[in-house]
Amino acid sequence: MDRQEIEDLIARVALRDRAAFEQLYDRVSAKLFGVCLRVLNKRAAAEDAMQDTFVKIWNNADRYNSNGLSPMTWLITIARNTAIDRLRARKKGHQNLDSPGFELVAPGPTPEQSAVNASEAAKLAGCLDTLEADRGQAIRGAYLDGETYADLAVRFNVPLNTMRTWLRRGLIALRECMSL
């Protein structure tokens, strides 16, 4: 997805175009979810933060100003700040005012699940390390840090289609490595 397309969708969302909002969600939600998940480390909390993020995008799309910065930077900033706000509230023991006293704490992973998760994470890190250094950094940037393909292409000084190829081939190599 290119920058202009995202900017056009944001402009249409500012006009309360629901179809544009759905298209924007379809195109950027995976990256924004990755940002929320990286901050919060819990899938359910990240999903809640994502919902809040898109409410903020809907309510504040008219504030987006195309000033030369990537529209993904604006969207990622909203997602990251929303996730950080939720993390701070969680650390303070903030209670949800909409349903005081009705919060249920989801149980964390069992010791067995924690061991399996740690093993999988170590295996993934090992597989990432088998890739060429720049390919591994690009995959980490795209899928863990929420950077856009275009931003990565600029950072690594390669054409956009080359970056897409790096990421696609890198993911294929990771899948093969993880299946061993």
Side-chain angles (χ1 to χ4, degrees):
M1 164 178 295
D2 69 0
R3 171 189 196 142
Q4 188 60 50
E5 185 179 359
I6 296 173
E7 285 183 353
D8 291 345
L9 289 173
I10 292 171
R12 288 175 45 206
V13 169
L15 298 173
R16 300 295 190 229
D17 182 336
R18 290 179 186 265
F21 185 69
E22 288 177 22
Q23 289 175 353
L24 182 66
Y25 181 89
D26 289 342
R27 286 178 173 76
V28 302
S29 61
K31 287 185 182 184
L32 299 185
F33 179 74
V35 170
C36 292
L37 187 58
R38 186 165 174 109
V39 171
L40 295 166
N41 295 320
K42 293 186 180 183
R43 186 170 189 83
E47 288 170 355
D48 289 343
M50 273 292 296
Q51 182 175 351
D52 288 350
T53 296
F54 276 94
V55 168
K56 289 178 182 179
I57 291 168
W58 175 258
N59 290 330
N60 297 300
D62 59 333
R63 293 184 181 178
Y64 174 72
N65 183 10
S66 178
N67 56 4
L69 297 177
S70 165
M72 278 306 297
T73 302
W74 184 74
L75 296 169
I76 289 169
T77 300
I78 293 172
R80 185 177 49 85
N81 289 346
T82 301
I84 289 170
D85 289 345
R86 285 186 157 270
L87 184 64
R88 287 178 182 152
R90 187 168 70 195
K91 286 181 179 177
K92 288 182 181 178
H94 182 269
Q95 203 172 28
N96 184 349
L97 297 177
D98 296 333
S99 57
F102 296 112
E103 297 80 50
L104 298 176
V105 178
T110 65
E112 179 183 8
Q113 289 170 328
S114 294
V116 169
N117 291 346
S119 173
E120 288 292 314
K123 186 173 182 179
L124 179 60
C127 288
L128 275 167
D129 290 340
T130 65
L131 299 174
E132 293 179 42
D134 52 0
R135 272 52 165 196
Q137 290 174 357
I139 286 177
R140 284 180 176 98
Y143 300 105
L144 298 177
D145 299 332
E147 293 182 63
T148 66
Y149 291 6
D151 291 342
L152 289 168
V154 169
R155 185 168 113 198
F156 289 97
N157 197 26
V158 296
L160 180 59
N161 285 335
T162 299
M163 179 54 61
R164 288 183 177 133
T165 301
W166 281 15
L167 294 171
R168 183 175 47 82
R169 289 182 181 165
L171 290 176
I172 291 169
L174 285 177
R175 182 177 61 214
E176 290 172 3
C177 180
M178 292 295 290
S179 68
L180 296 177

